[in-house]
């Protein structure tokens, strides 16, 4: 049984009558009248159980973007149903108005009244968000009381990463088109993919002379040397490995390191796919937690975003020893391997450094990490005694990172470290530079 505000107002009016005419009979009569009216109103109310709830599937939405969750209510009861519906979305779904009015006429076996309930959402957290139930309250014709039933019908909304770095994608793709020769001259000697034949000119590498083509090109004036020209390879393989272990939970500039890594991964994945490369993505901690690849059906960018949407930092150490085996399962050919993790000396020295020599021998390895600008700010602030001590600690951390960068460079590993907003474009620039130099 559900009581409304109108019932409360009626109870106050009857209380005033009892005050004006204080007598046991008046009190008993007013109470009996109040109960009878509420019971009659509840009996005359349409049954909320004579309703079938059908959830309308919701398309994926990016974090922070508005969407609408729709639910269809089918009424087959014999009485008119008037009341309210409440959709039980969790707070992070950002439901603006969870309670909606509903009015349905009487139904029958041949005719079913239908209403569509729409709830405006603006998610504040990525992943799978749920509404576990829908509560339906039916109010009687007097508006005093009614009945309420909760229908356990699950509704799921998948929220994808926001991909703010998408704005960099057009300019990076334009640079790749220039690199491919659409608007710029090919870089002589770069790459290993055959482009064309041309006459030899002084300064060309003699190793690029094509002797068979030279023998075929005979003329009355003599023999002209012919050289091969090369261009950066296309249809190469790019493997993106995203660390989702405990270090990815650190918040840098009010954003988890994992989310910054996702932004960089999405931009590089979209850029490499646009260049014609085959892209494989996976996230890992103690094992592989999500993966996507360009060979699967559908758009690669959407596949990666959907796979990332449910990834959350796990408070465990990353098992880097599984990386070589996982990469061998993906590809046996030389690839660009991008590992998005942190430059914390402890986790790298014990986990990643021992497996890097084997990886760098077979692949071109790039290590991308988010740089905390707070270290630079603390290293510069030295006005008070406390700030001097904090500056010393920050300087020590920066020195350790620089030593680690030199150690990684000695192993042939490219290191890209930048602030959360600068990491995606800088990692994309590194990919374009490697492509232009023929190393990829």
């Amino acid at each position: 049984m559900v009581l409304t505000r109108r019932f409360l107002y009626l109870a106050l009016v009857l209380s005033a009558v009892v005050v004006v005419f204080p007598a046991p009979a008046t009190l008993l009569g007013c109470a009996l009248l109040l109960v009878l009216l509420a019971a009659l109103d509840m009996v005359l109310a349409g049954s909320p159980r004579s309703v079938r709830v059908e959830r309308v599937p919701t398309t994926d939405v990016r974090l922070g973007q508005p969407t609408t969750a729709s639910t269809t209510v089918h009424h087959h009861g014999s009485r008119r149903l008037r009341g309210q519906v409440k959709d039980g979305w969790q707070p992070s779904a950002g439901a603006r108005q969870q309670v909606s009015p509903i009015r349905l006429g009487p139904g029958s076996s041949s005719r079913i009244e239908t209403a569509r309930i729409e709830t405006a959402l603006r998610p504040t957290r990525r992943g799978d968000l749920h509404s576990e139930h829908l509560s339906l309250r039916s109010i009687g014709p007097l508006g005093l009381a009614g009945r309420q039933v909760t229908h356990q019908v699950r509704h799921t909304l998948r929220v994808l990463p926001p991909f703010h770095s998408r704005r960099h994608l057009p300019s990076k793709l334009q640079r790749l088109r220039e690199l491919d020769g659409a608007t710029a001259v090919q870089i002589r000697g770069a790459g290993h993919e055959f482009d064309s034949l041309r006459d030899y000119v002084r300064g060309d590498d003699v190793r690029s002379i094509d002797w068979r083509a030279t023998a075929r090109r005979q003329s009355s004036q003599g023999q002209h040397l012919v050289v091969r020209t090369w261009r950066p390879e296309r249809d190469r393989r790019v493997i993106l490995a995203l660390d989702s272990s405990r270090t990815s939970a650190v918040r840098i500039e009010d954003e988890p390191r994992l989310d910054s890594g996702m932004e960089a991964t999405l931009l590089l994945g979209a850029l490499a796919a646009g260049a014609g490369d085959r892209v494989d993505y996976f996230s890992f901690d103690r094992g592989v937690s999500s993966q996507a690849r360009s060979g699967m059906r559908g758009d690669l960018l959407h596949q990666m975003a959907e796979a990332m949407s449910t990834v959350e930092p796990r408070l465990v150490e990353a098992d880097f020893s599984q990386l070589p085996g996982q990469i061998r399962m993906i590809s046996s050919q030389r690839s660009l391997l991008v590992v998005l993790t942190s430059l914390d000396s402890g986790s790298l020295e014990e986990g990643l450094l021992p497996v890097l020599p084997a990886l760098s021998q077979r692949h071109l390895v790039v290590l991308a990490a988010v740089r905390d600008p707070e270290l630079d700010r603390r290293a510069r602030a030295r006005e008070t005694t406390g700030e001097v001590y904090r500056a010393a600690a920050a300087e020590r951390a920066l020195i350790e990172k620089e030593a680690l960068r030199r150690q990684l460079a000695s192993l042939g590993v490219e290191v890209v470290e930048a602030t959360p907003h600068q990491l995606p474009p800088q990692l994309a620039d590194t990919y374009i530079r490697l492509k232009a130099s023929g190393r990829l």
Side-chain angles (χ1 to χ4, degrees):
M1 181 176 182
V2 176
L3 301 178
T4 65
R5 292 183 179 179
R6 186 175 294 184
F7 177 86
L8 178 61
Y9 297 152
L10 179 60
L12 292 175
V13 172
L14 294 179
S15 300
V17 173
V18 173
V19 172
V20 175
F21 304 101
T26 305
L27 176 61
L28 181 60
C30 290
L32 197 59
L33 176 63
L34 191 62
V35 171
L36 287 176
L37 289 176
L40 178 63
D41 206 26
M42 185 182 68
V43 170
L44 296 177
S47 173
R49 297 184 183 278
S50 61
V51 165
R52 181 171 60 87
V53 178
E54 180 183 356
R55 299 289 197 177
V56 179
T58 305
T59 57
D60 299 343
V61 64
R62 294 200 175 275
L63 180 64
Q65 293 182 350
T67 187
T68 301
S70 300
T71 303
T72 304
V73 178
H74 305 277
H75 180 229
H76 52 81
S78 58
R79 292 179 180 174
R80 185 180 301 276
L81 191 147
R82 179 177 64 90
Q84 296 174 330
V85 173
K86 182 178 181 180
D87 208 346
W89 285 99
Q90 59 193 89
S92 56
R96 296 182 181 179
Q97 185 179 356
Q98 290 184 293
V99 180
S100 304
I102 185 172
R103 290 178 180 272
L104 290 169
S108 62
S109 57
S110 60
R111 183 173 60 89
I112 297 178
E113 290 290 320
T114 302
R116 192 179 183 92
I117 308 300
E118 294 188 346
T119 305
L121 305 175
R122 186 180 289 271
T124 58
R125 184 178 66 84
R126 58 175 174 78
D128 287 341
L129 306 182
H130 306 285
S131 171
E132 301 291 345
H133 59 268
L134 186 90
S135 297
L136 179 60
R137 177 177 294 180
S138 176
I139 306 299
L142 300 177
L144 298 175
R147 291 179 279 177
Q148 179 173 311
V149 170
T150 299
H151 296 268
Q152 299 294 334
V153 183
R154 189 183 181 92
H155 199 171
T156 301
L157 171 66
R158 173 154 291 187
V159 183
L160 308 179
F163 194 22
H164 297 304
S165 57
R166 181 193 290 270
R167 64 184 185 275
H168 300 290
L169 187 57
S171 61
K172 305 303 180 185
L173 287 174
Q174 178 63 26
R175 289 182 58 187
L176 277 179
R177 285 191 289 268
E178 294 175 358
L179 174 65
D180 196 38
T183 58
V185 179
Q186 294 285 347
I187 301 175
R188 185 174 60 191
H192 300 85
E193 185 175 306
F194 175 74
D195 180 38
S196 61
L197 296 172
R198 62 170 174 80
D199 291 337
Y200 174 85
V201 295
R202 182 175 298 179
D204 283 338
D205 189 349
V206 295
R207 292 174 296 179
S208 63
I209 297 176
D210 191 324
W211 295 107
R212 290 187 178 180
T214 300
R216 289 194 300 267
R217 185 176 292 184
Q218 297 285 347
S219 67
S220 59
Q221 298 178 356
Q223 188 176 25
H224 295 276
L225 296 177
V226 178
V227 296
R228 292 185 176 188
T229 60
W230 311 89
R231 63 181 175 183
E233 295 86 346
R234 293 186 294 182
D235 195 25
R236 306 293 289 176
R237 188 175 288 275
V238 178
I239 303 175
L240 307 173
L242 178 62
D243 182 5
S244 60
S245 63
R246 65 172 184 85
T247 57
S248 66
V250 177
R251 300 188 72 86
I252 299 177
E253 291 192 340
D254 200 30
E255 182 179 74
R257 181 179 283 149
L258 178 63
D259 290 7
S260 303
M262 287 181 178
E263 286 286 327
T265 302
L266 288 171
L267 180 60
L268 182 55
L271 182 63
D277 293 336
R278 289 172 289 175
V279 181
D280 294 86
Y281 152 81
F282 67 93
S283 61
F284 68 97
D285 37 67
R286 303 300 295 178
V288 176
S289 54
S290 68
Q291 55 185 346
R293 56 175 49 190
S294 55
M296 300 170 64
R297 292 183 178 179
D299 178 49
L300 172 66
L301 184 60
H302 182 75
Q303 291 177 19
M304 292 175 60
E306 191 172 15
M308 292 176 184
S309 62
T310 56
V311 176
E312 297 291 343
R314 291 189 60 197
L315 301 183
V316 296
E317 289 288 346
D319 188 3
F320 290 101
S321 64
Q322 295 186 9
L323 273 183
Q326 181 63 29
I327 293 167
R328 280 195 299 270
M329 291 174 58
I330 295 174
S331 173
S332 59
Q333 70 182 77
R334 181 174 175 82
S335 309
L336 171 64
L337 171 61
V338 182
V339 182
L340 294 104
T341 182
S342 67
L343 274 181
D344 295 338
S345 57
S347 60
L348 285 186
E349 289 177 357
E350 297 177 3
L352 185 58
L353 283 179
V355 302
L356 274 180
L359 290 175
S360 58
Q361 286 179 1
R362 298 180 57 87
H363 307 282
L364 176 58
V365 182
V366 175
L367 192 148
V370 180
R371 181 181 182 90
D372 189 357
E374 183 63 24
L375 284 177
D376 299 319
R377 288 193 290 265
R378 292 193 174 189
R380 292 192 299 265
R382 306 183 181 186
E383 295 181 358
T384 64
T385 303
E387 288 179 346
V388 170
Y389 282 107
R390 285 191 289 269
E395 288 285 358
R396 181 179 180 85
L398 293 174
I399 291 173
E400 291 177 351
K401 280 192 174 185
E402 186 59 32
L404 185 59
R405 289 172 65 98
R406 290 195 296 267
Q407 188 175 2
L408 293 170
S410 67
L411 296 174
V413 177
E414 292 268 350
V415 179
V416 181
E417 187 185 19
T419 58
H421 298 296
Q422 293 298 321
L423 181 63
Q426 289 195 19
L427 182 59
D429 290 339
T430 301
Y431 166 80
I432 295 173
R433 175 171 54 83
L434 295 174
K435 197 90 167 175
S437 62
R439 295 180 59 189
L440 175 58

